[in-house]
Amino acid sequence: VQLVESGGGVVQAGGSLTLSCVGSGFTFDSYAIGWFRQAPGKEREVVSSISNLDGSTYYADSVKDRFTISTDIAKNTVTLQMNGLTPDDTAVYYCGTTLHLLRGWVPTQVWEYQYWTQGTQVTVSS
């Protein structure tokens, strides 16, 4: 299993960024993909996750109506579109994946994910 993420960078408050996570080495549509973030001195927390099995999604309250997660099964890619960014969104963002064969819900806990990317820095300046 391999995940490669791209995107991230520095943006001013109110701006947008797009993160992408490309998977390989596994049956993409049998897995869930989660985006997590970790700010300095804080624990890793879920931002959004999606089931590639049935498209079920989850958003943390802090990002609802601002972030959109989507999946392209044909390209083995999950994208996180982040709009209306604020300095509170500053963190290292990680993409994780886990085998997921249950319909109607999607994993949201760090311990539920087995494979991770190295992380990409997102910095939002005020």
Side-chain angles (χ1 to χ4, degrees):
V1 174
Q2 185 175 13
L3 299 172
V4 178
E5 67 183 322
S6 61
V10 180
V11 65
Q12 289 188 332
S16 299
L17 283 174
T18 302
L19 302 181
S20 294
C21 181
V22 180
S24 61
F26 60 101
T27 306
F28 197 71
D29 58 5
S30 296
Y31 280 67
I33 301 289
W35 284 101
F36 292 74
R37 66 186 181 189
Q38 188 166 16
K42 295 187 177 181
E43 294 186 352
R44 190 173 298 190
E45 62 177 7
V46 65
V47 174
S48 182
S49 55
I50 188 166
S51 166
N52 288 333
L53 183 66
D54 65 359
S56 296
T57 59
Y58 170 86
Y59 294 94
D61 288 343
S62 59
V63 306
K64 279 181 181 176
D65 300 324
R66 297 190 298 124
F67 291 10
T68 302
I69 192 169
S70 60
T71 190
D72 186 336
I73 299 297
K75 296 182 179 180
N76 282 14
T77 300
V78 170
T79 299
L80 184 69
Q81 177 65 42
M82 306 185 293
N83 299 326
L85 287 162
T86 75
D88 287 341
D89 296 315
T90 295
V92 177
Y93 283 69
Y94 300 88
C95 171
T97 191
T98 182
L99 179 66
H100 180 65
L101 300 175
L102 299 178
R103 298 182 181 274
W105 70 282
V106 59
T108 63
Q109 304 300 309
V110 172
W111 63 265
E112 294 179 294
Y113 288 79
Q114 287 80 47
Y115 306 97
W116 296 91
T117 58
Q118 297 280 6
T120 186
Q121 178 69 46
V122 171
T123 301
V124 184
S125 61
S126 58

